[in-house]
Amino acid sequence: MKLECPVSLTHPPLSWLILGLPLVFVLVGLVVSFRRWRGMKRHPAQDPESLLLGAVSQSLQERGRLAASLGELRTVHERLLDALPFGILWVDLKGQVAAINAEGRAILGVKAGVVGLDAAFVLEPFPWILEGLAQPPGPAWRADGGGRRWQLRRIQVPDIVGSLLQFEDITEREAGERRQQLRERFAELGEMTAGVAHQLKNGLAVLKGHGQLLDRAGHHDTAQDLLEEVQSLERLAQRFLLWAKPLEPRIAPVRLEEIASQAAMEVHRRPAFQDRTLTVEGEGRADADPMLLHQALVNLVENACQATPPGRRVRVQVVPGQIAILDEGPGFDPGDLARMLRPFESGRPEGTGLGLPLALKWLNATGADLVFSLRPEGGTRVDVRL
């Protein structure tokens, strides 16, 4: 009997496996070597110096990008500060000006080059600013300095930053607030005064009629006394109605010396001018209501003549945008200034108490300011600032 071993058709013989494995390893090694060779061709080996230079170059590029970003941020920050309508001053811990925005430079009249300089040196002409930097952070306050009115506030910042001060010139704003308050007060008094004046006129008309009847009946002396008193009260009622009259200013360019001269000529015809000298000096222009300014100047000049003793002089000085009235009287008590400008309160027995208040009302309606001060040589100075 003949025996045969079947041969598997699915599995290779052991000899093939023994011979094939080394060939596979060789092929795999060749492939790996080829890939490494290709990689070395694409990325040649660098020496340590080249690697260091590359790292430094990359670091510099990153710092450049960061510096550009910080520069853009600084520019935006400066533009935001320059857009603020008030001054911002930053003084660092070394006492140097670290920053000041455009509005702050304009208010103080300094240049951008003050940044980095000693704050005490830069701010020497502005002691109120230095005093503000010494205040603790908190609410805003107001102060006088350099003939102006200021609003200041220390802003709360970390101690390592230094001091941050907000400041603003509010002279015009405060003057506007005062004018508005006066307008409201004058309006209230005007309504009350108009009612009193109309009632007074009605009563005076009755008294005047009876005086005329007495005159016709032959009581001439009694009638004359009564009619004179009625005429005096009628003038007072007319002043009351003048005070209560609503104002509609018509502002236009005017020559101040012409209006001042016309007011002086009118005062020349009044009893207050007798035995006194009245002069008008200078010239200038301004925007004003000619009629209201004329009426105000007549009252102010007449009041100055009444305060000046006989034989002395009253001067009216004109410069662009301002008229000053200087008398040689006894002056005034600063504590009485508010009373002098209060309607119906006169310092003279024969006065109505409406001369100065009416002048103030007329000027206030046109946006002008009325300022009283004592002259060093004696007397009073009244400035009409247009």
Side-chain angles (χ1 to χ4, degrees), residues 320-384:
Q322 182 171 311
I323 299 175
I325 302 161
L326 297 81
D327 66 44
E328 296 182 359
F332 63 92
D333 185 348
D336 292 337
L337 182 58
R339 181 189 59 77
M340 292 165 53
L341 297 173
R342 191 177 299 134
F344 316 121
E345 293 195 21
S346 175
R348 297 184 303 274
E350 72 280 7
T352 62
L354 283 175
L356 291 180
L358 271 174
L360 177 61
K361 179 182 179 180
W362 290 328
L363 293 172
N364 180 75
T366 64
D369 288 322
L370 188 61
V371 181
F372 290 77
S373 58
L374 293 171
R375 300 175 62 195
E377 61 271 32
T380 301
R381 177 188 177 103
V382 181
D383 288 306
V384 177

Side-chain angles (χ1 to χ4, degrees), residues 144-163:
D144 294 317
R148 310 289 291 177
R149 188 73 170 161
W150 302 85
Q151 179 169 287
L152 305 100
R153 183 169 74 93
R154 269 288 306 279
I155 300 174
Q156 182 72 51
V157 293
D159 293 337
I160 60 172
V161 172
S163 301

Side-chain angles (χ1 to χ4, degrees), residues 172-348:
E172 282 73 23
R173 185 207 304 173
E174 201 169 73
E177 292 172 356
R178 286 197 302 269
R179 286 193 289 266
Q180 182 59 33
Q181 292 171 358
L182 282 173
R183 290 191 189 102
E184 295 172 356
R185 177 184 168 196
F186 290 155
E188 294 174 358
L189 288 173
E191 294 178 2
M192 178 188 69
T193 304
V196 172
H198 283 296
Q199 292 296 326
L200 185 59
K201 286 186 67 176
N202 293 336
L204 290 174
V206 174
L207 289 175
K208 189 174 185 178
H210 284 291
Q212 292 171 344
L213 290 174
L214 285 171
D215 188 52
R216 293 187 191 129
H219 303 284
H220 301 293
D221 293 339
T222 303
Q224 188 64 28
D225 292 340
L226 179 58
L227 290 174
E228 287 180 358
E229 195 63 31
V230 168
Q231 289 176 355
S232 176
L233 291 173
E234 282 180 337
R235 287 194 294 270
L236 178 61
Q238 190 63 34
R239 300 294 297 268
F240 282 178
L241 289 174
L242 188 61
W243 168 267
K245 181 182 178 181
L247 300 176
E248 297 180 358
R250 297 181 179 180
I251 308 299
V254 297
R255 294 204 63 87
L256 298 180
E257 69 275 9
E258 294 179 0
I259 297 179
S261 297
Q262 293 168 2
M265 290 176 60
E266 184 169 337
V267 175
H268 269 270
R269 299 190 292 267
R270 300 192 177 187
F273 172 69
Q274 292 180 1
D275 301 324
R276 295 164 179 86
T277 302
L278 177 58
T279 59
V280 177
E281 309 164 359
E283 60 182 20
R285 295 177 178 269
D287 292 335
D289 183 304
M291 182 60 66
L292 293 178
L293 179 58
H294 170 83
Q295 293 175 334
L297 287 179
V298 168
N299 283 13
L300 293 171
V301 173
E302 183 179 23
N303 186 80
C305 289
Q306 291 169 342
T308 299
R312 308 300 290 272
R313 182 173 63 160
V314 174
R315 288 185 295 158
V316 180
Q317 295 179 340
V318 177
V319 296
Q322 182 171 311
I323 299 175
I325 302 161
L326 297 81
D327 66 44
E328 296 182 359
F332 63 92
D333 185 348
D336 292 337
L337 182 58
R339 181 189 59 77
M340 292 165 53
L341 297 173
R342 191 177 299 134
F344 316 121
E345 293 195 21
S346 175
R348 297 184 303 274

Side-chain angles (χ1 to χ4, degrees), residues 52-70:
L52 179 59
L53 291 175
V56 170
S57 176
Q58 184 176 0
S59 176
L60 290 175
Q61 291 177 8
E62 291 177 354
R63 289 192 177 190
R65 288 191 292 269
L66 180 59
S69 299
L70 290 175

